[in-house]
Amino acid sequence: MSDLLERLRHYIGVLPATFMIVVFMLAPLTIIFVYSFLTPGDYGGVKFEFSTEAYTQLLFQKNLFDEVEFDTSYLTIAFRSIWVATVAVLGSLALGFPAAYYIAQQPESRRNTLLLLITIPFWTNLLIRTYCWILVLRDTGLINNLLIGLGLTDEPITMLYTEGAIALGLVYTYVPFMVLPIYAALERLDKRLIEASRDLYANRWTTLRHVTLPLASPGIVAGAILVFIPALGAFIAPDLLGGGKKLMLGSLVQLQFSAARDWPFGSALTMVIMSVVLICLLLFAVNQRRNEGGFQH
């Protein structure tokens, strides 16, 4: 009887979490999955007629003669998105690692204050923060006015509506996601290992390369994942800072559910992106488990 009550108490305890997962994660994903195999409606929405056209459309299009031919348009958008997301990861790492290392070296009384400063941008709406970069990067913006005022250039430099502007906006948005996991890894770093490295006459660069970076690698990988995944599907920065000229996957999905009114194709894009991300995460998890197993052995 006591075992039954204990099991019942356990099931009741996990019921709210199970309800949240089913309602807010599994149910929407199921709807998206079903929609991806349906036919687009005439004025948006879907018709409940089975079709794989949405997935075929990813790689093939019909020409003027109604012949199916291979089309690289969406592959180009995918590779552009991967490239920009990778640049965002590298930029976030270049800024985030020194910041995390500096915070980890501070006394505990100052760390919480510095971490609070890292999270302050999240207090402001993302749309407003991204729009502020338009004021900075445009031809009559802060940077161009400064360069012209200093006599470094006679004409404005085109910075807005470029892939560089999109990457900059993504770095600004997601760099805290890189700082926090790296800081968590560096905070647990055994300072005696650094002292031992210096006792063996290793300079700071050698210590960083052979001691600090390997021990901080779990935080770096976690930060890279936390930056890459949302950057791959971002659409606010590409829309505002790219001006619609540099279409990315997130913008493409948003476009299908709004102006194009092709919900099945938008759903198919979502499922493909999610599947690729999940496969990459699964491969990473398997590789990490193998490495841990080899280390323990």
Side-chain angles (χ1 to χ4, degrees), residues 19-234:
F19 176 79
M20 295 289 288
I21 292 174
V22 170
V23 172
F24 295 104
M25 191 174 81
L26 294 182
L29 287 178
T30 302
I31 294 173
I32 292 294
F33 177 76
V34 172
Y35 276 14
S36 68
F37 288 100
L38 298 179
T39 303
D42 296 329
Y43 303 100
V46 295
K47 294 179 180 178
F48 286 89
E49 301 173 0
F50 179 80
S51 173
T52 59
E53 181 67 25
Y55 289 96
T56 305
Q57 191 177 342
L58 291 170
L59 296 176
F60 300 95
Q61 297 288 339
K62 291 184 178 180
N63 58 23
L64 296 176
F65 303 100
D66 205 29
E67 297 173 344
V68 177
E69 59 182 13
F70 183 71
D71 186 16
T72 61
S73 300
Y74 296 122
L75 286 178
T76 302
I77 296 174
F79 286 127
R80 180 191 299 128
S81 301
I82 294 172
W83 163 248
V84 174
T86 302
V87 172
V89 169
L90 296 177
S92 299
L93 179 60
L95 295 175
F97 185 86
Y101 185 81
Y102 174 79
I103 296 174
Q105 297 302 311
Q106 299 305 304
E108 292 187 8
S109 58
R110 297 182 58 188
R111 293 179 186 175
N112 290 335
T113 302
L114 294 173
L115 289 175
L116 178 64
L117 294 177
I118 293 293
T119 61
I120 280 181
F122 290 109
W123 299 3
T124 308
N125 185 274
L126 175 60
L127 183 63
I128 297 175
R129 285 186 284 137
T130 306
Y131 186 79
C132 287
W133 277 106
I134 297 179
L135 305 179
V136 174
L137 298 175
R138 64 184 181 180
D139 291 348
T140 57
L142 179 63
I143 295 179
N144 274 312
N145 286 339
L146 181 61
L147 293 176
I148 294 174
L150 294 175
L152 299 178
T153 180
D154 296 328
E155 298 180 355
I157 300 175
T158 301
M159 291 178 284
L160 193 60
Y161 307 139
T162 62
E163 291 184 6
I166 297 174
L168 179 62
L170 293 177
V171 169
Y172 170 74
T173 301
Y174 299 119
V175 69
F177 293 161
M178 182 68 75
V179 173
L180 296 178
I182 294 178
Y183 164 76
L186 292 175
E187 186 186 25
R188 298 191 299 267
L189 182 64
D190 191 346
K191 303 297 190 297
R192 292 175 298 179
L193 297 175
I194 297 178
E195 294 175 359
S197 175
R198 293 175 179 173
D199 290 340
L200 295 174
Y201 303 103
N203 56 35
R204 291 191 175 187
W205 169 247
T206 303
T207 301
L208 176 67
R209 192 156 50 100
H210 293 285
V211 179
T212 307
L213 283 178
L215 294 176
S217 59
I220 293 174
V221 173
I225 293 174
L226 290 175
V227 172
F228 183 82
I229 292 176
L232 186 66

Side-chain angles (χ1 to χ4, degrees), residues 4-21:
L4 180 61
L5 291 175
E6 186 65 27
R7 287 184 180 181
L8 184 61
R9 189 181 299 112
H10 172 74
Y11 289 138
I12 294 176
V14 300
L15 186 61
T18 304
F19 176 79
M20 295 289 288
I21 292 174

